[in-house]
Amino acid sequence: MKPALYLHPKREKSLFRRHPWLFSNAVERVEGSPARGDIVSIYSSAGQWLAYAGYSPDSQIRARVWSFDKRTPVTTEFFIEKLQQAQAGRALLSEFSQTNSYRLVAGENDGLPGVTIDRYADVLVIQLLSAGADWCRSMLLEALTTLYPNCCVYERSDVDVRKKEGLEPVTGLLAGTLPPQPMVIEENGLKLWVDIITGHKTGYYLDQRNNRQLVGQLARGRRVLNCFSYTGGFGTYALAGQAASVMNLDVSQNALDIAAANVSLNQLDDTRIQHIKIDVFQALRDYQGELNFDLIVLDPPKFVDSKAHLKRASRGYQDINRLAMGLLEPGGLLATFSCSGLMPKELFQKIVADAALDAGRQIQFIKALEQAEDHPVAGPYPEGFYLKGFLCRVF
Ligand code: SAH
């Protein structure tokens, strides 16, 4: 018997609306005995064929849809087509003239649920986040090596979410030769060190590219504080943009060492930049009444990991925003972000506004900020919009 999932009559709506996820409570019965990750057909309660999907028996997200078209089975050819579509979308973006690194595949948003592929020069870093994606590894790899014969493929599936899918972490070279790490990439004409083997996620946070450029353009003559700097992306742009001074703060010494190396890589003035290993919450408290800045970047890690924690996370965001405002010169600029998909944009704006009230300051929202264009959002999958931020003036 071909493996198949039949939907619960009252829980079919989201799939009819082409949301790619099928939750466990929407499955009325499973036919056949699909293995973890297996490709299954999804049927409506009335027995109508709806989709091909990857089966995740261990996860609350029981299946993720590969295709809503019965004539498009999940084969190597299917992956080749999806990759070509994704690549064509990225080619639309003219910003890539001085940029050789971008997100090539953004999972569900590119019709490949559970698959992230970041391109760093000629290295493709893949992350397989779901059982279905893991199952299709060899087809995906064949598609990649067919389309990108000159690229190396490296896997960084060392992410916690794989546990929910019943999968172990996996890392390593899948095809080609990995250049010595760290390696240099180009972003908006700046050179940056990225370590694909030991870096966060796939090595670097490509989603902030446009916002880093904006900060670079605003930095001239300003004293810049870059909180949660990682490898100093925002700080390097600010220095290149003629900031009066830059302070990069992060808890990771390794990240700060790379940030320092990025300064010399771009032949920038290292007397105007400091790299400080410190907990940002602590630093923002310590600096009150001691230091002042004209531009502060707050780009913390994800604070919200489940809806249940939204309230606690909101407090965290409010704290750092309030403390940061306390360090801003009147009329100073704050670029503040939340990369938590579970944090709605409206709520985040309210948190920042409330932080200003708490700090006894006035605030103007000047510009809404978001993830770069190589991180698109699929229509039926609003979850794809996760990075939000505001450029604010604080008086
Ligand atoms: N702005 C960066 C990305 C930031 S990722 C960029 O543009 O590339 C978040 C960073 O916050 C990580 O480097 C992590 O090491 C750091 N971090 C997490 N918690 C921290 C804390 N409490 N204090 C300081 N840094 C922290």
Side-chain angles (χ1 to χ4, degrees):
M1 192 186 288
K2 283 209 167 153
L5 307 186
Y6 283 80
L7 296 184
H8 192 286
K10 294 215 171 84
R11 304 241 160 84
E12 299 176 320
K13 217 160 116 204
S14 82
L15 216 68
F16 284 136
R17 290 180 52 82
R18 302 222 156 182
H19 193 287
W21 292 353
L22 190 59
F23 283 93
S24 58
N25 63 7
V27 180
E28 192 162 63
R29 68 174 202 279
V30 181
E31 277 190 358
S33 22
R36 178 189 293 127
D38 224 341
I39 296 158
V40 294
S41 282
I42 312 282
Y43 290 90
S44 71
S45 54
Q48 179 196 357
W49 186 94
L50 295 177
Y52 294 115
Y55 183 53
S56 290
D58 301 282
S59 171
Q60 285 295 98
I61 305 173
R62 192 53 45 90
R64 295 175 200 231
V65 173
W66 290 118
S67 161
F68 285 99
D69 181 353
K70 199 166 186 187
R71 293 157 305 175
T72 312
V74 186
T75 57
T76 301
E77 194 48 46
F78 165 83
F79 283 100
I80 288 181
E81 254 173 49
K82 289 285 177 192
L83 289 171
Q84 281 173 326
Q85 242 175 49
Q87 182 69 71
R90 275 54 180 187
L92 288 173
L93 310 172
S94 57
E95 66 178 276
F96 289 138
S97 56
Q98 287 188 301
T99 295
N100 65 8
S101 300
Y102 52 90
R103 179 146 296 184
L104 173 60
V105 172
E108 279 74 352
N109 304 292
D110 282 299
L112 293 176
V115 180
T116 301
I117 306 178
D118 284 341
R119 181 169 186 169
Y120 296 102
D122 286 336
V123 180
L124 299 168
V125 184
I126 73 167
Q127 261 184 345
L128 304 175
L129 307 172
S130 65
D134 201 73
W135 173 270
C136 293
R137 158 192 311 267
S138 57
M139 286 189 276
L140 180 60
L141 185 61
E142 202 182 327
L144 280 171
T145 49
T146 304
L147 291 175
Y148 303 93
N150 300 323
C151 284
C152 138
V153 183
Y154 191 85
E155 178 165 9
R156 277 297 304 272
S157 301
D158 49 338
V159 281
D160 282 346
V161 288
R162 276 174 68 98
K163 278 193 208 131
K164 294 188 185 164
E165 300 279 322
L167 303 169
E168 297 290 318
V170 179
T171 60
L173 188 65
L174 299 182
T177 312
L178 186 69
Q181 296 298 307
M183 61 184 270
V184 175
I185 65 160
E186 193 180 10
E187 186 182 86
N188 290 320
L190 281 175
K191 293 192 164 33
L192 298 162
W193 288 107
V194 171
D195 196 314
I196 276 149
I197 299 175
T198 63
H200 291 184
K201 313 259 175 174
T202 62
Y204 184 58
Y205 295 89
L206 295 162
D207 51 2
Q208 286 283 27
R209 182 190 315 104
N210 298 346
N211 302 324
R212 284 191 280 256
Q213 188 166 38
L214 177 68
V215 162
Q217 286 160 355
L218 293 168
R220 180 178 292 272
R222 293 197 153 101
R223 295 161 296 171
V224 178
L225 180 65
N226 181 21
C227 302
F228 309 97
S229 70
Y230 187 48
T231 51
F234 283 102
T236 312
Y237 277 71
L239 198 58
Q242 306 298 322
S245 64
V246 177
M247 264 170 83
N248 281 331
L249 309 183
D250 203 281
V251 281
S252 160
Q253 187 59 51
N254 196 26
L256 291 168
D257 290 344
I258 295 187
N262 282 335
V263 175
S264 41
L265 183 65
N266 292 285
Q267 287 146 8
L268 300 171
D269 178 0
D270 65 2
T271 62
R272 287 186 287 128
I273 188 162
Q274 284 175 280
H275 301 90
I276 301 171
K277 179 176 183 293
I278 193 163
D279 180 329
V280 165
F281 287 84
Q282 188 61 46
L284 293 178
R285 287 198 171 86
D286 291 352
Y287 299 166
Q288 301 292 320
E290 302 282 323
L291 293 176
N292 274 323
F293 299 91
D294 309 299
L295 169 56
I296 299 183
V297 178
L298 281 182
D299 183 26
K302 192 160 96 177
F303 285 170
V304 197
D305 49 14
S306 72
K307 271 193 187 140
H309 293 153
L310 188 57
K311 210 163 177 189
R312 195 177 63 196
S314 300
R315 223 168 296 132
Y317 284 116
Q318 195 159 328
D319 281 348
I320 52 170
N321 279 280
R322 172 178 46 84
L323 291 165
M325 289 175 204
L327 302 180
L328 269 179
E329 216 47 83
L333 296 172
L334 175 67
T336 183
F337 298 94
S338 164
C339 62
S340 303
L342 293 169
M343 169 64 70
K345 181 177 167 183
E346 294 69 27
L347 177 58
F348 186 56
Q349 181 172 355
K350 181 174 186 306
I351 288 169
V352 177
D354 285 351
L357 278 180
D358 287 353
R361 305 288 291 264
Q362 283 177 37
I363 188 167
Q364 279 180 329
F365 294 95
I366 298 178
K367 192 176 166 61
L369 307 172
E370 57 195 18
Q371 63 216 48
E373 297 89 337
D374 49 334
H375 296 62
V377 182
Y381 185 72
E383 293 90 337
F385 176 63
Y386 65 96
L387 177 64
K388 62 212 67 83
F390 295 100
L391 176 68
C392 310
R393 264 180 104 197
V394 179
F395 299 94

